[in-house]
Amino acid sequence: APPGPWSPPSPWAQPPWTPAWTPVPPGAPAPGATSTSRADARAGVVLSVGVEGMALLNVLPAITYGIAPTIELSLSRRAELRASALVSGTATTSVESATAESSLIAGRLDACAAGWPRDLIRLRACAGLLAGAVNASGLSVPDPRTAVSPWITPALRLDATWHVARPLGLVLGVDGYFPGLRPELQIVDAEGTVVAARRFPLAGVGISLGALLALW
């Protein structure tokens, strides 16, 4: 059949008009406020706990290992406080013809500054003080003795945290120790005269690898 006469489409047959804005219910965040709120949350106070395994070089008279539990308080994206403990393994060293064992336990407090606070990787520098004690005992001597000596040292630290899957991160750190009080291992004769001695190192290094968990 031949087509009928053409007529313009009725305006009432068009799809309903869609406004360019979407109403927001009362109390709901604005569409562009999500990223800002997340950034504000990251910039707030964050408490984290962690643990690190360490290799201690030149801290005790021989290379040994250490365990360091940590608590960190992030005050902002750049300023942090860090408290930790250091418990070392036993280092065996020789003093003349004898041998001695020594171990270390200390507490530490640091102030830290994050120089590259990115979402995935954070670089940080810390400065602080360690205070603790060294326990030493003699071996292979006629009259072995045990002594405890104070160990106090300023420390510097550089570390990097890789946020694998928030709130968990992996931490790689390097610490430098510069003890002001350096214990000394001594061999004495029957009259109490020192016949041989070995002082603890003047400076040492710790290399650490661990995990950090943000609690809030």
Side-chain angles (χ1 to χ4, degrees), residues 31-90:
T34 304
S35 59
T36 303
S37 61
R38 289 178 181 174
D40 292 341
R42 289 195 301 269
V45 176
V46 178
L47 179 66
S48 304
V49 296
V51 63
E52 299 177 1
M54 304 186 70
L56 300 175
L57 291 72
N58 221 39
V59 176
L60 297 176
I63 297 175
T64 186
Y65 65 89
I67 301 295
T70 65
I71 299 177
E72 300 185 1
L73 183 64
S74 175
L75 304 177
S76 68
R77 288 178 64 88
R78 292 191 177 275
E80 301 178 6
L81 295 177
R82 181 178 184 270
S84 64
L86 174 59
V87 181
S88 78
T90 300

Short mmCIF file of all heavy atoms in Angstrom, two decimals, residues 31-90:
data_model
loop_
_atom_site.label_atom_id
_atom_site.label_comp_id
_atom_site.label_asym_id
_atom_site.label_seq_id
_atom_site.Cartn_x
_atom_site.Cartn_y
_atom_site.Cartn_z
N PRO A 31 28.89 13.86 45.54
CA PRO A 31 29.56 12.91 44.65
C PRO A 31 31.06 13.07 44.62
O PRO A 31 31.79 12.12 44.50
CB PRO A 31 28.92 13.19 43.29
CG PRO A 31 27.61 13.83 43.59
CD PRO A 31 27.79 14.58 44.87
N GLY A 32 31.62 14.26 44.71
CA GLY A 32 33.07 14.46 44.63
C GLY A 32 33.78 14.43 45.96
O GLY A 32 34.96 14.71 46.03
N ALA A 33 33.07 14.07 47.05
CA ALA A 33 33.69 14.16 48.38
C ALA A 33 34.36 12.89 48.81
O ALA A 33 34.99 12.84 49.85
CB ALA A 33 32.63 14.55 49.41
N THR A 34 34.25 11.78 48.06
CA THR A 34 34.78 10.49 48.50
C THR A 34 36.28 10.51 48.62
O THR A 34 36.86 10.14 49.62
CB THR A 34 34.34 9.38 47.53
OG1 THR A 34 32.93 9.40 47.44
CG2 THR A 34 34.84 8.03 48.01
N SER A 35 36.99 10.95 47.54
CA SER A 35 38.44 10.93 47.56
C SER A 35 38.99 11.87 48.63
O SER A 35 39.98 11.58 49.28
CB SER A 35 39.00 11.32 46.19
OG SER A 35 38.53 12.61 45.84
N THR A 36 38.30 13.01 48.85
CA THR A 36 38.78 13.95 49.86
C THR A 36 38.67 13.35 51.24
O THR A 36 39.57 13.47 52.07
CB THR A 36 37.98 15.25 49.78
OG1 THR A 36 38.10 15.77 48.46
CG2 THR A 36 38.48 16.26 50.81
N SER A 37 37.55 12.67 51.55
CA SER A 37 37.38 12.07 52.86
C SER A 37 38.40 10.97 53.11
O SER A 37 38.92 10.82 54.20
CB SER A 37 35.96 11.52 53.02
OG SER A 37 35.72 10.53 52.04
N ARG A 38 38.71 10.19 52.08
CA ARG A 38 39.72 9.16 52.24
C ARG A 38 41.09 9.78 52.50
O ARG A 38 41.85 9.29 53.32
CB ARG A 38 39.76 8.28 51.00
CG ARG A 38 38.54 7.38 50.87
CD ARG A 38 38.62 6.57 49.58
NE ARG A 38 37.44 5.72 49.45
CZ ARG A 38 37.19 4.98 48.37
NH1 ARG A 38 38.03 5.01 47.34
NH2 ARG A 38 36.10 4.25 48.32
N ALA A 39 41.40 10.85 51.78
CA ALA A 39 42.68 11.50 52.00
C ALA A 39 42.76 12.07 53.41
O ALA A 39 43.79 12.01 54.08
CB ALA A 39 42.90 12.61 50.98
N ASP A 40 41.61 12.64 53.90
CA ASP A 40 41.61 13.17 55.26
C ASP A 40 41.81 12.06 56.27
O ASP A 40 42.49 12.25 57.29
CB ASP A 40 40.29 13.89 55.54
CG ASP A 40 40.17 15.15 54.70
OD1 ASP A 40 41.21 15.63 54.21
OD2 ASP A 40 39.04 15.65 54.54
N ALA A 41 41.23 10.88 56.02
CA ALA A 41 41.40 9.75 56.94
C ALA A 41 42.84 9.30 56.98
O ALA A 41 43.38 8.97 58.02
CB ALA A 41 40.48 8.60 56.51
N ARG A 42 43.50 9.27 55.83
CA ARG A 42 44.91 8.86 55.80
C ARG A 42 45.78 9.89 56.48
O ARG A 42 46.84 9.59 57.01
CB ARG A 42 45.37 8.66 54.36
CG ARG A 42 44.78 7.45 53.69
CD ARG A 42 45.57 7.14 52.44
NE ARG A 42 45.57 8.23 51.50
CZ ARG A 42 44.68 8.38 50.52
NH1 ARG A 42 43.71 7.50 50.38
NH2 ARG A 42 44.75 9.39 49.68
N ALA A 43 45.37 11.16 56.46
CA ALA A 43 46.18 12.22 57.04
C ALA A 43 46.00 12.32 58.55
O ALA A 43 46.73 13.05 59.20
CB ALA A 43 45.85 13.55 56.38
N GLY A 44 45.04 11.60 59.15
CA GLY A 44 44.78 11.68 60.57
C GLY A 44 45.71 10.80 61.38
O GLY A 44 46.70 10.25 60.89
N VAL A 45 45.40 10.66 62.67
CA VAL A 45 46.20 9.86 63.59
C VAL A 45 45.99 8.37 63.29
O VAL A 45 44.85 7.91 63.17
CB VAL A 45 45.82 10.18 65.03
CG1 VAL A 45 46.56 9.28 66.00
CG2 VAL A 45 46.10 11.64 65.34
N VAL A 46 47.09 7.63 63.13
CA VAL A 46 47.03 6.21 62.83
C VAL A 46 47.95 5.48 63.81
O VAL A 46 49.11 5.86 63.98
CB VAL A 46 47.47 5.91 61.38
CG1 VAL A 46 47.45 4.41 61.12
CG2 VAL A 46 46.56 6.63 60.39
N LEU A 47 47.43 4.43 64.46
CA LEU A 47 48.23 3.60 65.36
C LEU A 47 48.53 2.28 64.67
O LEU A 47 47.64 1.63 64.12
CB LEU A 47 47.47 3.34 66.66
CG LEU A 47 48.18 2.46 67.69
CD1 LEU A 47 49.42 3.17 68.22
CD2 LEU A 47 47.23 2.09 68.83
N SER A 48 49.81 1.88 64.66
CA SER A 48 50.24 0.66 64.00
C SER A 48 51.12 -0.16 64.93
O SER A 48 51.81 0.39 65.80
CB SER A 48 51.01 0.97 62.70
OG SER A 48 50.25 1.78 61.84
N VAL A 49 51.09 -1.47 64.74
CA VAL A 49 51.98 -2.37 65.47
C VAL A 49 52.71 -3.24 64.45
O VAL A 49 52.20 -3.50 63.36
CB VAL A 49 51.21 -3.25 66.48
CG1 VAL A 49 50.56 -2.39 67.55
CG2 VAL A 49 50.14 -4.08 65.76
N GLY A 50 53.90 -3.68 64.80
CA GLY A 50 54.67 -4.50 63.87
C GLY A 50 55.75 -5.29 64.58
O GLY A 50 55.96 -5.16 65.80
N VAL A 51 56.44 -6.08 63.82
CA VAL A 51 57.58 -6.84 64.32
C VAL A 51 58.59 -6.97 63.19
O VAL A 51 58.21 -7.12 62.02
CB VAL A 51 57.15 -8.22 64.87
CG1 VAL A 51 56.55 -9.08 63.75
CG2 VAL A 51 58.31 -8.93 65.53
N GLU A 52 59.88 -6.90 63.54
CA GLU A 52 60.95 -6.96 62.54
C GLU A 52 62.01 -7.95 62.99
O GLU A 52 62.32 -8.06 64.18
CB GLU A 52 61.59 -5.58 62.34
CG GLU A 52 60.63 -4.53 61.84
CD GLU A 52 61.29 -3.16 61.72
OE1 GLU A 52 62.50 -3.07 62.01
OE2 GLU A 52 60.60 -2.19 61.35
N GLY A 53 62.56 -8.66 62.02
CA GLY A 53 63.74 -9.47 62.24
C GLY A 53 64.96 -8.70 61.76
O GLY A 53 64.90 -8.02 60.73
N MET A 54 66.06 -8.79 62.52
CA MET A 54 67.21 -7.95 62.22
C MET A 54 68.50 -8.76 62.16
O MET A 54 68.64 -9.77 62.86
CB MET A 54 67.38 -6.86 63.30
CG MET A 54 66.17 -5.98 63.51
SD MET A 54 66.51 -4.62 64.67
CE MET A 54 67.60 -3.61 63.68
N ALA A 55 69.41 -8.30 61.33
CA ALA A 55 70.80 -8.77 61.34
C ALA A 55 71.62 -7.64 61.96
O ALA A 55 71.60 -6.51 61.47
CB ALA A 55 71.28 -9.08 59.93
N LEU A 56 72.33 -7.96 63.05
CA LEU A 56 73.10 -6.96 63.79
C LEU A 56 74.58 -7.14 63.49
O LEU A 56 75.18 -8.17 63.82
CB LEU A 56 72.84 -7.11 65.29
CG LEU A 56 71.38 -6.94 65.73
CD1 LEU A 56 71.23 -7.23 67.21
CD2 LEU A 56 70.87 -5.54 65.39
N LEU A 57 75.15 -6.12 62.85
CA LEU A 57 76.55 -6.15 62.44
C LEU A 57 77.33 -5.14 63.26
O LEU A 57 77.01 -3.94 63.26
CB LEU A 57 76.70 -5.82 60.96
CG LEU A 57 76.19 -6.83 59.92
CD1 LEU A 57 74.68 -6.86 59.87
CD2 LEU A 57 76.73 -6.49 58.55
N ASN A 58 78.32 -5.63 64.00
CA ASN A 58 79.20 -4.77 64.79
C ASN A 58 78.48 -4.09 65.94
O ASN A 58 78.96 -3.08 66.49
CB ASN A 58 79.87 -3.71 63.91
CG ASN A 58 81.33 -3.51 64.25
OD1 ASN A 58 82.03 -4.48 64.54
ND2 ASN A 58 81.80 -2.28 64.22
N VAL A 59 77.33 -4.60 66.33
CA VAL A 59 76.63 -4.09 67.51
C VAL A 59 77.17 -4.78 68.76
O VAL A 59 77.53 -4.14 69.74
CB VAL A 59 75.11 -4.28 67.37
CG1 VAL A 59 74.38 -3.83 68.63
CG2 VAL A 59 74.59 -3.53 66.16
N LEU A 60 77.21 -6.11 68.73
CA LEU A 60 77.90 -6.93 69.71
C LEU A 60 79.27 -7.30 69.12
O LEU A 60 79.51 -7.06 67.93
CB LEU A 60 77.07 -8.16 70.05
CG LEU A 60 75.70 -7.87 70.70
CD1 LEU A 60 74.93 -9.17 70.91
CD2 LEU A 60 75.86 -7.13 72.01
N PRO A 61 80.15 -7.90 69.90
CA PRO A 61 81.46 -8.24 69.34
C PRO A 61 81.43 -9.22 68.18
O PRO A 61 82.42 -9.36 67.46
CB PRO A 61 82.20 -8.84 70.55
CG PRO A 61 81.55 -8.22 71.73
CD PRO A 61 80.11 -8.08 71.36
N ALA A 62 80.31 -9.90 67.94
CA ALA A 62 80.17 -10.80 66.80
C ALA A 62 78.81 -10.57 66.15
O ALA A 62 77.87 -10.07 66.79
CB ALA A 62 80.32 -12.26 67.23
N ILE A 63 78.70 -10.92 64.88
CA ILE A 63 77.43 -10.77 64.15
C ILE A 63 76.38 -11.68 64.78
O ILE A 63 76.64 -12.85 65.10
CB ILE A 63 77.62 -11.12 62.67
CG1 ILE A 63 78.60 -10.13 62.02
CG2 ILE A 63 76.30 -11.08 61.93
CD1 ILE A 63 78.94 -10.48 60.59
N THR A 64 75.19 -11.15 64.96
CA THR A 64 74.10 -11.95 65.51
C THR A 64 72.78 -11.43 64.94
O THR A 64 72.75 -10.53 64.10
CB THR A 64 74.10 -11.90 67.05
OG1 THR A 64 73.12 -12.80 67.56
CG2 THR A 64 73.78 -10.49 67.54
N TYR A 65 71.68 -11.98 65.42
CA TYR A 65 70.35 -11.58 64.95
C TYR A 65 69.62 -10.86 66.07
O TYR A 65 70.05 -10.84 67.24
CB TYR A 65 69.55 -12.81 64.50
CG TYR A 65 69.23 -13.76 65.64
CD1 TYR A 65 68.07 -13.62 66.40
CD2 TYR A 65 70.11 -14.79 65.96
CE1 TYR A 65 67.79 -14.48 67.44
CE2 TYR A 65 69.84 -15.66 67.00
CZ TYR A 65 68.68 -15.50 67.74
OH TYR A 65 68.42 -16.35 68.78
N GLY A 66 68.49 -10.26 65.73
CA GLY A 66 67.66 -9.58 66.72
C GLY A 66 66.20 -9.58 66.32
O GLY A 66 65.87 -9.75 65.14
N ILE A 67 65.34 -9.40 67.31
CA ILE A 67 63.89 -9.27 67.10
C ILE A 67 63.46 -7.93 67.67
O ILE A 67 63.85 -7.57 68.79
CB ILE A 67 63.11 -10.41 67.78
CG1 ILE A 67 63.57 -11.77 67.23
CG2 ILE A 67 61.62 -10.23 67.57
CD1 ILE A 67 63.26 -11.98 65.77
N ALA A 68 62.66 -7.19 66.91
CA ALA A 68 62.26 -5.84 67.33
C ALA A 68 60.76 -5.64 67.16
O ALA A 68 60.31 -5.35 66.04
CB ALA A 68 63.03 -4.78 66.55
N PRO A 69 59.95 -5.80 68.22
CA PRO A 69 58.53 -5.41 68.15
C PRO A 69 58.41 -3.90 68.18
O PRO A 69 59.19 -3.21 68.86
CB PRO A 69 57.92 -6.06 69.40
CG PRO A 69 59.07 -6.23 70.34
CD PRO A 69 60.30 -6.42 69.50
N THR A 70 57.44 -3.35 67.46
CA THR A 70 57.31 -1.90 67.34
C THR A 70 55.87 -1.44 67.53
O THR A 70 54.91 -2.18 67.27
CB THR A 70 57.79 -1.41 65.97
OG1 THR A 70 56.93 -1.93 64.96
CG2 THR A 70 59.22 -1.86 65.70
N ILE A 71 55.73 -0.20 67.99
CA ILE A 71 54.45 0.51 68.04
C ILE A 71 54.69 1.88 67.43
O ILE A 71 55.63 2.58 67.83
CB ILE A 71 53.91 0.65 69.48
CG1 ILE A 71 53.66 -0.72 70.10
CG2 ILE A 71 52.63 1.48 69.48
CD1 ILE A 71 53.20 -0.63 71.55
N GLU A 72 53.86 2.26 66.47
CA GLU A 72 54.04 3.53 65.78
C GLU A 72 52.77 4.36 65.84
O GLU A 72 51.67 3.82 65.72
CB GLU A 72 54.44 3.30 64.32
CG GLU A 72 55.74 2.53 64.17
CD GLU A 72 56.19 2.42 62.72
OE1 GLU A 72 55.48 2.95 61.84
OE2 GLU A 72 57.23 1.80 62.47
N LEU A 73 52.93 5.65 66.03
CA LEU A 73 51.82 6.58 66.05
C LEU A 73 52.06 7.65 65.00
O LEU A 73 53.00 8.45 65.11
CB LEU A 73 51.68 7.22 67.44
CG LEU A 73 50.49 8.18 67.61
CD1 LEU A 73 49.17 7.43 67.45
CD2 LEU A 73 50.56 8.86 68.97
N SER A 74 51.23 7.64 63.96
CA SER A 74 51.34 8.63 62.89
C SER A 74 50.48 9.84 63.25
O SER A 74 49.26 9.74 63.36
CB SER A 74 50.87 8.01 61.57
OG SER A 74 50.86 8.97 60.54
N LEU A 75 51.13 10.98 63.45
CA LEU A 75 50.42 12.20 63.82
C LEU A 75 49.88 12.94 62.61
O LEU A 75 48.90 13.67 62.70
CB LEU A 75 51.35 13.11 64.63
CG LEU A 75 51.97 12.47 65.88
CD1 LEU A 75 52.94 13.43 66.54
CD2 LEU A 75 50.90 12.01 66.84
N SER A 76 50.56 12.78 61.48
CA SER A 76 50.14 13.38 60.21
C SER A 76 50.77 12.55 59.11
O SER A 76 51.40 11.53 59.36
CB SER A 76 50.56 14.85 60.13
OG SER A 76 51.98 14.95 60.04
N ARG A 77 50.65 13.02 57.88
CA ARG A 77 51.26 12.28 56.77
C ARG A 77 52.78 12.36 56.78
O ARG A 77 53.44 11.61 56.10
CB ARG A 77 50.72 12.80 55.43
CG ARG A 77 49.28 12.39 55.16
CD ARG A 77 48.80 12.98 53.83
NE ARG A 77 49.53 12.46 52.70
CZ ARG A 77 49.21 11.35 52.03
NH1 ARG A 77 48.18 10.62 52.44
NH2 ARG A 77 49.91 10.97 50.97
N ARG A 78 53.34 13.27 57.60
CA ARG A 78 54.80 13.45 57.61
C ARG A 78 55.44 13.26 58.98
O ARG A 78 56.64 13.01 59.04
CB ARG A 78 55.16 14.83 57.06
CG ARG A 78 54.85 14.98 55.57
CD ARG A 78 55.46 16.26 55.01
NE ARG A 78 55.22 16.38 53.57
CZ ARG A 78 55.97 15.83 52.64
NH1 ARG A 78 57.03 15.10 52.99
NH2 ARG A 78 55.69 15.98 51.36
N ALA A 79 54.72 13.39 60.07
CA ALA A 79 55.29 13.32 61.41
C ALA A 79 54.80 12.07 62.13
O ALA A 79 53.60 11.79 62.17
CB ALA A 79 54.93 14.56 62.21
N GLU A 80 55.74 11.31 62.73
CA GLU A 80 55.41 10.07 63.40
C GLU A 80 56.28 9.89 64.64
O GLU A 80 57.41 10.39 64.71
CB GLU A 80 55.60 8.87 62.46
CG GLU A 80 54.76 8.94 61.21
CD GLU A 80 55.01 7.75 60.29
OE1 GLU A 80 55.75 6.84 60.69
OE2 GLU A 80 54.47 7.75 59.17
N LEU A 81 55.75 9.12 65.61
CA LEU A 81 56.51 8.67 66.76
C LEU A 81 56.60 7.15 66.70
O LEU A 81 55.64 6.48 66.30
CB LEU A 81 55.84 9.10 68.07
CG LEU A 81 55.77 10.60 68.35
CD1 LEU A 81 55.00 10.86 69.64
CD2 LEU A 81 57.17 11.20 68.43
N ARG A 82 57.76 6.62 67.11
CA ARG A 82 57.99 5.17 67.01
C ARG A 82 58.65 4.67 68.29
O ARG A 82 59.67 5.20 68.72
CB ARG A 82 58.89 4.88 65.81
CG ARG A 82 59.19 3.41 65.56
CD ARG A 82 60.03 3.27 64.31
NE ARG A 82 60.27 1.87 63.98
CZ ARG A 82 61.31 1.17 64.44
NH1 ARG A 82 62.21 1.75 65.23
NH2 ARG A 82 61.46 -0.09 64.11
N ALA A 83 58.04 3.66 68.92
CA ALA A 83 58.62 3.02 70.10
C ALA A 83 58.86 1.55 69.77
O ALA A 83 58.04 0.91 69.11
CB ALA A 83 57.68 3.15 71.30
N SER A 84 59.99 1.02 70.22
CA SER A 84 60.33 -0.36 69.89
C SER A 84 61.22 -0.95 70.96
O SER A 84 61.73 -0.24 71.83
CB SER A 84 61.02 -0.44 68.51
OG SER A 84 62.26 0.26 68.55
N ALA A 85 61.39 -2.25 70.88
CA ALA A 85 62.32 -2.97 71.73
C ALA A 85 63.27 -3.76 70.84
O ALA A 85 62.94 -4.09 69.71
CB ALA A 85 61.58 -3.90 72.68
N LEU A 86 64.45 -4.04 71.35
CA LEU A 86 65.44 -4.83 70.61
C LEU A 86 65.93 -5.94 71.52
O LEU A 86 66.47 -5.68 72.60
CB LEU A 86 66.61 -3.96 70.16
CG LEU A 86 67.78 -4.69 69.50
CD1 LEU A 86 67.33 -5.45 68.26
CD2 LEU A 86 68.90 -3.70 69.15
N VAL A 87 65.72 -7.17 71.09
CA VAL A 87 66.21 -8.34 71.81
C VAL A 87 67.12 -9.10 70.86
O VAL A 87 66.68 -9.56 69.80
CB VAL A 87 65.05 -9.24 72.28
CG1 VAL A 87 65.59 -10.44 73.05
CG2 VAL A 87 64.07 -8.45 73.14
N SER A 88 68.38 -9.21 71.22
CA SER A 88 69.35 -9.84 70.32
C SER A 88 69.53 -11.31 70.64
O SER A 88 69.16 -11.79 71.73
CB SER A 88 70.71 -9.14 70.43
OG SER A 88 71.40 -9.56 71.60
N GLY A 89 70.11 -12.01 69.69
CA GLY A 89 70.55 -13.36 69.94
C GLY A 89 71.87 -13.34 70.70
O GLY A 89 72.38 -12.27 71.06
N THR A 90 72.44 -14.50 70.94
CA THR A 90 73.69 -14.60 71.67
C THR A 90 74.86 -14.59 70.70
O THR A 90 74.87 -15.33 69.72
CB THR A 90 73.74 -15.89 72.50
OG1 THR A 90 72.65 -15.88 73.44
CG2 THR A 90 75.03 -16.01 73.29
#
